[in-house]
Amino acid sequence: MSFFTANNLSINFGGIKAVDGVSFDVEQGEVFTIIGPNGAGKTTIFNLVSRIYEPSGGKLSFAGRDITNVPPHLIAALGIARTFQNIELFEHATLLQNLLLARHAHKRSSFWSELLFLPSVRRLEIEHREAVEKAIDFLDLQQYRDSLIVNLPYGVRKVTELARALCTDPRLLLLDEPSSGLNVEETEDMAFWIQDIKNVLGITVLMVEHDMSLVSAVSDRVMALNYGRPIATGVPAEVQAHPEVIRAYLGG
Amino acid sequence: MAVGCIYGLVALGFVLIYKATELVNFAQGDLLTLGAFVCYMAVVWWGLDYWVGFVIAVVVIGAFGALLDRVVLRQVIGQPQFAVVMLTIGLGAMFRTFASVTWGSEIYTLPTPFGGVWTIGGVTLSHQYLSIIAGTLVLCGVLYAFFNHTRLGVAMQATSQNQLAAYYMGIPVKLIFSLIWAISAGVAAAAGILLAPVTLIDTNMGLAVALKAFAAAVLGGFGSIPGALFGGIIIGLIELYAGATLPEGFKDTAPYIVLLLMLIVRPQGLFGTLTRKKV
Amino acid sequence: MRFPFKTSYNQDIRLFRDRVDVFWYGLLAVAVLVLPLLMDEYYVGESTWVFIYGICGVSLMVLVGYTGLVSLGHAAFLGIGAYAHAFFIMHGAPWVVAVGLAVAITTACGLIVGLPALRMTGIYLAIATLAFSVIIQEVFSRWESVTHGFAGMKVDRPVIFGVAFADDRSFYYLCLFFLVIVLWLTRNLLRAPTGRAWIAIRDSEIAAQSMGVNLAIYKSMAFAYSAGVMGLAGALFAHKIAFLAPDIFNILLSIQFLLLVIVGGLGSLHGALFGAVFVALLPPLIAILRDSIPDSMAEFAAATGITPVASVGAAVGAFLAKPGVEAGIFGLILVLVILLEPLGMYGRWLKIKLFFSTFPMYKASTFKRQKSYMRSERLR
């Protein structure tokens, strides 16, 4: 049994099969990337995995557990975290508050103890803060700690999303187009971080990405998708050279 | 039924503005009051014909709506919906104060040419109520034709679908917004004049109607024009039957009870569609 | 400009940032404690409104300012709290028990309203709460065995553990005490995971959900907490107003609460207090102006010989005396605040503070608003 498995996953939107019988598995410790032209159903797969969409067919399993029917707010507690393509940060909160919120899956204090702010709550808050500071150090976000997200540049927001996902202590990290909107240097930084996440933190990464240089730099395996169906899976070079993939991109 | 048509018309005004600019105009009811007052001034104080007064009131209030958009509401585009709702509530309060300072707190009666009654098969139909229904039908017909068969109307539809794209296609988006406000305010004024013989004119007539009309718009699914009219008529009918058959006190609350139950079952309204944000 | 030097994580969790903050808040505390001893009893009574509205403001701030759920029907919760409290007092319950029951009942009502509200957003939620408050208002006027309907209900000043809070001064301190308690509890929640979850729901429901926030639980919690605090405010309100009638708790009062949080500044507890000061003190201020402007203008005219000034003063006085003008002034201020200072009085306060702490280096563009296109809120 693989670490993460999607089996015959499907979803329809008003008759259109956005994802049509996709199966793949991700091994522990690898970077698995999904590529494909616009509208191929890549982000939809992410939304299915993080349970925002209800699949119309198929099964998802993670670490030996069937997660097809787990409600979306419990996904984080299982160890699956995600980022969003169009940045979904909490804009009118500080960066620190954003990251602390990511610790929500590990919340252990009750409403009543929080109401009175008992010493136990304070102790737990400091524990959360320590975990958050690790992510801040890892991604070099110290200088922005107390800034509101609305005041931060796009590149920093993108990194903040990554940091927020890391703060949930995930075992599987879903990155939805981590390089979109970033310039060349920022994309390079992103590539290093993804490698570090895999090698240093030992987190398995499932990624959707358009930037082929980033894909080939960090991915262990790649799956190409077109019209909601997988057309090729393998190491990056293999998939890139696959005639079907070339046809999908060039529209032959 | 007739009062339901008025709710429908005012709800239509809400929906027009909402569809186009995503603002919810809480001052709609007070525009209705102002419309009735302007018509009253024209007819009673200046001795003009009813129809002339009608046109004057609709034009004046329409122009006022456009002015509101230019001066006030354009400033808040892009701000949270909630802030804008509060802004229009504030504007409504100002109009109410304006009305009560200008016209005092007396109750006025607007003379109309619809005095008679028709008796068809034992059912008495007063011309006043018929005039409301007819007026609603005519207004809806005109608006329907305008939106579907004129360049400007289609441009307005395009703008409400996608502001930026409309702008790129060379549609003067700002002007369109002002026009939509003008139409919506004009419709409110017309509704006020039609309603005037039934409820009489006073400074708070609009508020009560607007609250019900708002419920009507939500009932129909905010953003759907047929839904707004349909919702208005439903609310009017519920009110009528609750007033006639249920114990005292239910006349005013029954529409809200129905609305609440409907929202629990179908949170997007009868004709609304549930849309999801893409992530 | 002060830069607090942080050496422990605790510093970000504490109630007050540093000693300077403690000093200023201490000074404020001393001022509100000492002032009633120096003021005329009438002004003490008016100031009490600040505290009651302050509690109402905190209630609505949690819901609107922090969780992003708009309620157009909060006057209903105030009414439920007020009537429940008065009912239990009348039937001989001790004051503390009556307040406790009133808060419990409003909290339960908040939960009941909150549950269907979970599926609604924006305008639908606003209208649903509005419908709720219309229905509740009707209940107040019809359920005569409890509320005495339109005949009304008289409420005496509280007697707690045998201590009577009969005069305005002692009642002032009672309300102040409860405001401080509510502020402390709310601040505790806001610096804990619950408060962060609320903020997260306000800014992005989808992200909040993916980070493990159970939307249903936290939204209904916000509703229940907000309603409970409103219930407490209602109990104090009943004593303050001394006579309960159903039409007090109408939609205009709900709107006034929304006005309070907006004018004060959304998304901060300071804002709730600034707003409360504004809403509570504007009516007496208008009354004072109404009485004093014609006289002082007439005096000015007599002294300088410019007679038109006197008639202008008289006209202003007459205008302010007309019925309904107060609502219009509230409306005008609301419009101006949203247009000119969307962050409310608290936002303005922060700007003034920054101006003095960075003087003469203040840049007006620090707070410049970005030009924005219309952002669709249809897709939530």
Side-chain angles (χ1 to χ4, degrees):
Chain A
M1 189 88 184
S2 297
F3 185 58
F4 174 84
T5 319
N7 193 5
N8 205 16
L9 201 59
S10 311
I11 187 171
N12 302 336
F13 290 123
I16 299 162
K17 289 186 171 170
V19 174
D20 185 10
V22 173
S23 302
F24 61 92
D25 34 49
V26 182
E27 300 302 330
Q28 189 151 17
E30 74 171 344
V31 175
F32 187 92
T33 305
I34 303 174
I35 62 167
N38 285 328
K42 307 179 296 287
T43 298
T44 310
I45 291 183
F46 267 34
N47 287 340
L48 286 169
V49 174
S50 51
R51 305 282 306 108
I52 295 174
Y53 291 160
E54 205 59 48
S56 41
K59 262 193 176 345
L60 293 164
S61 78
F62 173 67
R65 194 183 151 176
D66 183 6
I67 60 162
T68 323
N69 293 312
V70 175
H73 63 267
L74 294 182
I75 287 291
L78 288 177
I80 301 179
R82 71 170 291 181
T83 66
F84 295 86
Q85 193 176 343
N86 301 315
I87 303 187
E88 287 285 334
L89 287 168
F90 310 120
E91 290 202 348
H92 298 279
T94 64
L95 189 146
L96 193 60
Q97 281 176 314
N98 268 273
L99 302 190
L100 281 170
L101 189 271
R103 302 291 305 164
H104 195 88
H106 304 276
K107 171 177 141 103
R108 292 198 301 276
S109 46
S110 73
F111 174 80
W112 297 106
S113 63
E114 287 176 19
L115 194 61
L116 300 172
F117 218 80
L118 298 178
S120 63
V121 178
R122 186 181 297 268
R123 210 187 56 240
L124 287 170
E125 279 295 291
I126 289 176
E127 272 176 32
H128 290 323
R129 180 69 188 269
E130 279 162 0
V132 163
E133 288 295 335
K134 275 184 203 145
I136 289 181
D137 283 344
F138 185 72
L139 296 172
D140 277 337
L141 287 167
Q142 293 89 342
Q143 53 175 322
Y144 305 110
R145 207 182 268 130
D146 290 320
S147 336
L148 290 181
I149 299 297
V150 276
N151 299 330
L152 292 178
Y154 191 87
V156 180
R157 292 190 203 192
K158 208 84 197 177
V159 181
T160 309
E161 272 231 318
L162 184 61
R164 188 177 64 178
L166 286 178
C167 283
T168 63
D169 284 344
R171 288 185 289 162
L172 175 67
L173 186 59
L174 312 180
L175 301 177
D176 197 350
E177 301 203 8
S179 81
S180 72
L182 298 184
N183 62 29
V184 180
E185 290 100 72
E186 286 167 338
T187 309
E188 278 174 6
D189 284 347
M190 192 56 86
F192 284 125
W193 277 324
I194 294 173
Q195 279 164 343
D196 280 355
I197 287 169
K198 180 182 112 180
N199 298 331
V200 179
L201 303 180
I203 297 171
T204 312
V205 177
L206 176 60
M207 176 167 87
V208 162
E209 182 52 61
H210 273 301
D211 187 324
M212 277 308 174
S213 58
L214 179 63
V215 172
S216 28
V218 301
S219 317
D220 296 305
R221 281 192 307 146
V222 175
M223 175 173 79
L225 213 60
N226 198 20
Y227 294 118
R229 291 166 175 281
I231 48 179
T233 310
V235 297
E238 213 173 274
V239 172
Q240 265 180 310
H242 196 285
E244 283 254 13
V245 176
I246 294 170
R247 197 175 319 138
Y249 272 96
L250 299 179
Chain B
M1 181 70 185
V3 178
C5 284
I6 295 294
Y7 295 154
L9 274 185
V10 179
L12 184 88
F14 278 129
V15 170
L16 276 180
I17 292 186
Y18 180 74
K19 267 181 91 97
T21 60
E22 277 191 35
L23 309 180
V24 179
N25 178 22
F26 256 88
Q28 196 77 5
D30 300 295
L31 289 173
L32 179 148
T33 314
L34 291 183
F37 269 116
V38 170
C39 184
Y40 177 82
M41 282 206 320
V43 174
V44 177
W45 292 5
W46 305 330
L48 296 172
D49 186 56
Y50 176 80
W51 294 108
V52 179
F54 193 111
V55 172
I56 288 181
V58 170
V59 169
V60 166
I61 300 299
F64 183 62
L67 189 77
L68 268 187
D69 175 58
R70 273 218 80 103
V71 177
V72 181
L73 289 141
R74 190 160 298 169
Q75 318 287 327
V76 291
I77 281 184
Q79 280 200 48
Q81 206 179 27
F82 166 56
V84 185
V85 170
M86 290 308 291
L87 182 77
T88 57
I89 288 179
L91 286 174
M94 283 166 68
F95 299 158
R96 254 196 318 284
T97 299
F98 173 76
S100 74
V101 168
T102 318
W103 293 292
S105 46
E106 295 100 84
I107 293 168
Y108 296 86
T109 319
L110 178 69
T112 60
F114 317 113
V117 289
W118 281 339
T119 311
I120 304 168
V123 182
T124 317
L125 297 168
S126 101
H127 285 188
Q128 278 177 2
Y129 287 104
L130 285 178
S131 75
I132 292 178
I133 296 173
T136 307
L137 287 177
V138 169
L139 267 174
C140 292
V142 169
L143 284 176
Y144 179 80
F146 174 74
F147 276 111
N148 286 300
H149 297 292
T150 63
R151 263 183 85 86
L152 194 60
V154 175
M156 283 184 184
Q157 285 201 16
T159 311
S160 61
Q161 298 257 333
N162 188 335
Q163 191 196 356
L164 212 56
Y167 190 64
Y168 288 144
M169 298 311 287
I171 295 173
V173 170
K174 289 177 179 173
L175 185 69
I176 294 271
F177 277 10
S178 297
L179 273 177
I180 286 175
W181 269 85
I183 292 177
S184 167
V187 169
I193 300 165
L194 289 173
L195 186 66
V198 181
T199 60
L200 307 181
I201 308 175
D202 76 87
T203 48
N204 286 324
M205 72 184 273
L207 189 66
V209 175
L211 287 180
K212 296 258 171 60
F214 195 53
V218 169
L219 190 70
F222 229 94
S224 151
I225 288 180
L229 289 168
F230 188 68
I233 292 169
I234 290 187
I235 296 266
L237 287 177
I238 292 172
E239 214 178 28
L240 192 68
Y241 284 113
T245 58
L246 292 174
E248 195 195 347
F250 274 99
K251 182 173 180 285
D252 286 323
T253 41
Y256 292 104
I257 296 175
V258 172
L259 175 74
L260 213 52
L261 292 177
M262 201 276 313
L263 280 178
I264 291 169
V265 182
R266 238 183 106 79
Q268 71 275 32
L270 287 177
F271 292 85
T273 43
L274 201 57
T275 37
R276 284 197 92 145
K277 188 169 171 178
K278 270 185 90 166
V279 285
Chain C
M1 200 155 183
R2 284 183 297 126
F3 288 102
F5 192 70
K6 291 179 188 166
T7 48
S8 96
Y9 293 151
N10 242 325
Q11 254 164 306
D12 281 338
I13 301 174
R14 277 206 296 250
L15 279 180
F16 304 109
R17 199 166 46 153
D18 53 16
R19 291 220 182 98
V20 185
D21 270 11
V22 173
F23 171 75
W24 284 112
Y25 284 111
L27 204 63
L28 182 69
V30 170
V32 290
L33 285 175
V34 172
L35 270 180
L37 303 175
L38 311 173
M39 278 193 301
D40 188 60
E41 182 123 1
Y42 168 77
Y43 292 108
V44 175
E46 292 295 322
S47 315
T48 309
W49 280 119
V50 174
F51 303 143
I52 295 174
Y53 279 130
I55 298 175
C56 299
V58 170
S59 155
L60 211 55
M61 193 60 87
V62 165
L63 197 66
V64 180
Y66 283 99
T67 321
L69 302 170
V70 179
S71 164
L72 269 176
H74 251 50
F77 293 121
L78 187 78
I80 293 171
Y83 271 115
H85 179 67
F87 176 79
F88 291 122
I89 290 267
M90 195 187 256
H91 288 76
W95 196 85
V96 181
V97 175
V99 167
L101 284 172
V103 171
I105 289 173
T106 34
T107 308
C109 290
L111 263 182
I112 292 168
V113 178
L115 286 178
L118 300 177
R119 294 172 62 198
M120 301 175 214
T121 48
I123 213 71
Y124 293 96
L125 181 60
I127 197 73
T129 51
L130 172 72
F132 166 75
S133 87
V134 172
I135 294 166
I136 288 291
Q137 209 188 330
E138 197 64 31
V139 170
F140 288 158
S141 54
R142 301 283 156 191
W143 196 6
E144 291 181 358
S145 57
V146 173
T147 65
H148 296 212
F150 284 107
M153 211 169 173
K154 218 171 121 25
V155 188
D156 293 328
R157 281 291 156 89
V159 180
I160 306 167
F161 298 128
V163 184
F165 288 78
D167 64 330
D168 280 345
R169 259 187 204 105
S170 56
F171 190 60
Y172 171 100
Y173 288 116
L174 183 71
C175 292
L176 175 61
F177 169 76
F178 276 105
L179 175 65
V180 172
I181 295 285
V182 165
L183 279 175
W184 177 65
L185 295 178
T186 310
R187 182 81 175 82
N188 282 347
L189 284 181
L190 290 175
R191 56 184 168 151
T194 302
R196 282 197 298 269
W198 286 339
I199 295 176
I201 290 173
R202 177 190 69 191
D203 285 353
S204 167
E205 285 192 6
I206 278 187
Q209 207 175 20
S210 302
M211 296 299 139
V213 175
N214 185 336
L215 296 182
I217 286 184
Y218 282 90
K219 277 188 184 178
S220 35
M221 213 152 141
F223 246 104
Y225 183 74
S226 172
V229 170
M230 211 58 170
L232 174 64
L236 295 171
F237 184 88
H239 288 301
K240 178 67 191 160
I241 203 159
F243 187 79
L244 295 179
D247 49 354
I248 297 171
F249 306 102
N250 58 14
I251 180 184
L252 294 177
L253 188 64
S254 300
I255 289 177
Q256 200 175 355
F257 292 144
L258 282 175
L259 177 129
L260 187 158
V261 290
I262 291 185
V263 170
L266 279 176
S268 71
L269 289 181
H270 291 91
L273 296 185
F274 276 106
V277 170
F278 169 80
V279 169
L281 298 186
L282 190 67
L285 185 70
I286 292 176
I288 293 170
L289 287 179
R290 183 182 62 215
D291 298 337
S292 67
I293 282 184
D295 292 347
S296 56
M297 294 282 247
E299 270 171 36
F300 179 79
T304 55
I306 313 167
T307 42
V309 176
S311 45
V312 169
V316 172
F319 175 77
L320 289 177
K322 286 199 176 175
V325 165
E326 201 180 285
I329 292 178
F330 270 117
L332 178 67
I333 289 172
L334 183 60
V335 169
L336 291 179
V337 165
I338 292 173
L339 286 183
L340 305 175
E341 188 60 271
L343 297 174
M345 288 161 75
Y346 184 58
R348 177 56 59 179
W349 167 253
L350 288 181
K351 284 177 198 176
I352 294 170
K353 239 169 62 174
L354 189 74
F355 177 81
F356 282 109
S357 59
T358 56
F359 186 82
M361 313 293 234
Y362 180 76
K363 294 188 303 229
S365 57
T366 310
F367 292 100
K368 200 165 181 280
R369 236 195 302 166
Q370 284 181 344
K371 254 198 167 341
S372 60
Y373 278 100
M374 189 167 78
R375 276 171 46 204
S376 179
E377 293 194 22
R378 285 179 200 160
L379 312 171
R380 290 279 281 220

